[in-house]
Amino acid sequence: MGKSKTKRFKRPQFSPTGNCQAELAAAENGTEQEEDDGPAAELLEKLQHPSAEVRECACAGLARLVQQRPLLPDLARRDAVRRLGPLLLDPSLAVRETAAGALRNLSACGGFEVCDDMVTKDIMTPLVALLRECSAGLDSNEICPQEEKDRNRNSVESIANEAVNVLWNVCECSSRAVSVFNKEGCLDIVLKYLSNFSTNVDLAISVAYCLQTVTEDNPELLKSFGASALRVLESAMLAPVTSMEHILLKTLLAGTIWNLKGIIPSKSQAEIISAILKVLSEVLEMDAGEVVLQMKEAGEQRLRSAAETESRAHANGDVATEDEDMEEDPRRRRVRRKTFISDLLPPTDKELREAVALLTAQQTALEIIVNMCCSEDPSDDEWEEELSSSDESEAFMEEESFREDEGAGQLLSPLCLSHEVHAALTHFLIPRKVFEKTAFPNSTAIDVCSKSPTWKPLVRKMNTVQWRALMCLQSLVSLLEVEHLGGAPALQALARHLSTLLFAQPDFAKHVDFLEAISSALRALLQTMASQNIPQCITPDQLMTLCRAGIQSGNIGVRVNVVSILGIMGSILAKEEGTLETLKTTGCFLLEVATKDPSLVVAGEALDALFDVFADGKEAERASVQIHLLSALKEFQPVFKMKIRKEGRGKHSPDQLCVLDNVKMNLRRFVAYQETVEKRLTT
């Protein structure tokens, strides 16, 4: 139905175990609730215990418990948030950290409703107070070596890191939390944390995630960004890279600065946009597969060296037994007991953290580019405006011939880029680098990671980078001129590349994320090639194979894409000779989708594709008569109108309703056009 509106990417919530949602889905099928009522009540009761160690253990137990979604209603009923909140200001630093960790997991696993409930129960008051205390503590906290920080998990910065993650999660899900962030001056606090990026990159990354969230669509906060605040962001984004985690930090800050473009003077826009895309270009330049292999080898080498050192120490009799250790030094017992909490936090293996950071940075970079491309889309208010006037326009459009006005009623205006963004995208070769990321991940890296339980989650991350690259490619192909994409030969090569990716996997239909991404990219590419009369190099049979598989998908986006692809192909074939049978197959397929698909959006797209295919051409006219297109559409027309009226605003966004309204008008005009065609051919 015209050009597709590019999907903006939102920041994902932190997942404490790497794949929280999958685990929670599995938990939902169980019967754990009754069994765990006892532990939940007991742990909550222990939060009031006079012993700091007992309170700390209770917080750690709750941090695990909140990851089981069936238990969340019970924890809410028992007022877990109100009980945990005061512990953010507990006299014991260890309790503060584990309480913040429990709230972090609760906010990450609970989703929008839980986060909103946390704000309702005033979690922001103790949270902001804790953030302020940590900020004051940074002034008096002597900067210690990283090795010492690793041993002392209860440092001020560690607590601040947990607190910032709670802040990020609730601001991601609750506009009221963002309002508190604005009013309580949290910006100055987190910028102070960020200014220490050179000594604590973990905390800086958490702050950058939070800033990227709170700066999006927040004009009130933008007023608080003065020159000094911008300098903090700029110094961190432009600092030399010393690790993959610093690369992730720079990428997140690039996204934050893009959100601030509204307060940057016009004369500085080009320079800032160039700096942002330079960072993103450098991130995408890196070969993530090779880095993963290097980091895996480095980690194994480090473990081998540590084992050899320990063996030599045992041989020399320098190491006491574990029991002796614990008796001689109570602190050793504490460290051993606390290590079980580490699995609630991001990976602590240095090499694994580095690999994860790079893959996350590349995924984030691609998402930022997509958001840069679609930032100037019409707003929902504009869609509402179009919708309200559609009834008036229907009357005078009724009399017009469908063939004469084909496409004139298209309400989706083409996306456009500012000159500064366009120039920077091409200068830093972003299209080429995005294209390179659309290839399948390094097979050796996939194989190596698959064999290691701790590294296996990276397989999903590598695939996600590819999917994001395909979505990014869709935006670039839709927006850039053909010459900036390398000309017609480059687009044909890209079409062959996408075809190879698609059909290299016999079971491609099972990989929903991949199928949605590649069908989106293919749709945009074929649309661009058709508009420029560039010969297609994917056969109708291949496209029909894709469409038959894709239309079975439960993902509406996939179904919309394949129907649109079929419409593009059919509109080209309609102008060629000897394509009657293919057009009949195409028409029957689209007609079945339009009349039987449960989604009104997919049905509308199928109708729009039918209009494109059968709007012109002798072969198309003959095919439409032979498949009885007119009678089928006449029968379906009142059904479609009733569906729009019945589902209405309750199920669809303003832009979807606007386009569906346009399809409804075009259906009436198309039926009138088909009547003249059938009358002419039958007489």
Side-chain angles (χ1 to χ4, degrees), residues 361-390:
Q362 292 194 338
Q363 176 183 334
T364 303
L366 292 163
E367 291 171 358
I368 292 169
I369 293 169
V370 170
N371 290 348
M372 292 175 80
C373 289
C374 70
S375 65
E376 295 172 278
D377 276 355
S379 67
D380 283 349
D381 290 340
E382 289 171 321
W383 291 122
E384 293 278 9
E385 236 175 77
E386 294 277 13
L387 187 61
S388 65
S389 63
S390 63

Side-chain angles (χ1 to χ4, degrees), residues 5-227:
K5 191 177 181 184
T6 310
K7 177 171 65 177
R8 285 182 64 85
F9 286 102
K10 298 287 187 181
R11 294 306 321 146
Q13 293 185 52
F14 167 74
S15 174
T17 58
N19 192 12
C20 179
Q21 298 304 316
E23 295 179 5
L24 294 175
E28 285 177 346
N29 297 322
T31 56
E32 291 91 341
Q33 182 155 358
E34 291 182 5
E35 299 172 7
D36 285 336
D37 272 348
E42 183 181 353
L43 289 170
L44 289 169
E45 196 65 35
K46 287 181 178 179
L47 294 179
Q48 310 301 321
H49 198 280
S51 167
E53 286 204 358
V54 173
R55 295 197 300 275
E56 182 191 356
C57 285
C59 290
L62 286 169
R64 286 178 173 274
L65 211 58
V66 297
Q67 296 175 65
Q68 301 179 44
R69 192 180 297 276
L71 295 183
L72 294 181
D74 181 58
L75 288 167
R77 190 169 60 252
R78 296 177 186 275
D79 233 3
V81 173
R82 290 191 193 277
R83 296 193 190 192
L84 280 167
L87 296 185
L88 293 175
L89 302 173
D90 194 274
S92 165
L93 294 181
V95 174
R96 290 186 180 197
E97 184 183 1
T98 48
L103 289 166
R104 173 182 180 176
N105 287 357
L106 178 62
S107 59
C109 293
F112 289 91
E113 289 185 7
V114 168
C115 286
D116 202 53
D117 184 60
M118 289 173 70
V119 177
T120 300
K121 292 178 177 174
D122 199 28
I123 195 61
M124 296 299 287
T125 297
L127 180 60
V128 172
L130 176 61
L131 290 164
R132 285 203 176 102
E133 286 196 18
C134 290
S135 178
L138 289 179
D139 295 330
S140 56
N141 187 33
E142 181 179 328
I143 301 300
C144 53
Q146 187 62 44
E147 292 79 5
E148 187 176 337
K149 286 183 183 176
D150 291 340
R151 291 194 297 271
N152 181 17
R153 295 270 320 286
N154 296 322
S155 69
V156 172
E157 290 175 331
S158 296
I159 298 171
N161 190 36
E162 294 297 309
V164 170
N165 274 278
V166 178
L167 182 65
W168 167 32
N169 287 341
V170 293
C171 286
E172 181 78 44
C173 298
S174 169
S175 59
R176 290 185 298 158
V178 174
S179 179
V180 173
F181 184 100
N182 296 343
K183 293 175 182 176
E184 294 296 328
C186 293
L187 177 63
D188 293 336
I189 299 172
V190 297
L191 285 175
K192 185 174 183 180
Y193 297 156
L194 179 62
S195 64
N196 292 326
F197 69 90
S198 60
T199 57
N200 194 328
V201 70
D202 290 340
L203 177 56
I205 287 172
S206 297
V207 169
Y209 271 122
C210 186
L211 285 173
Q212 196 179 17
T213 293
V214 297
T215 54
E216 187 170 7
D217 301 324
N218 188 357
E220 182 183 345
L221 182 64
L222 298 196
K223 299 173 187 175
S224 304
F225 271 90

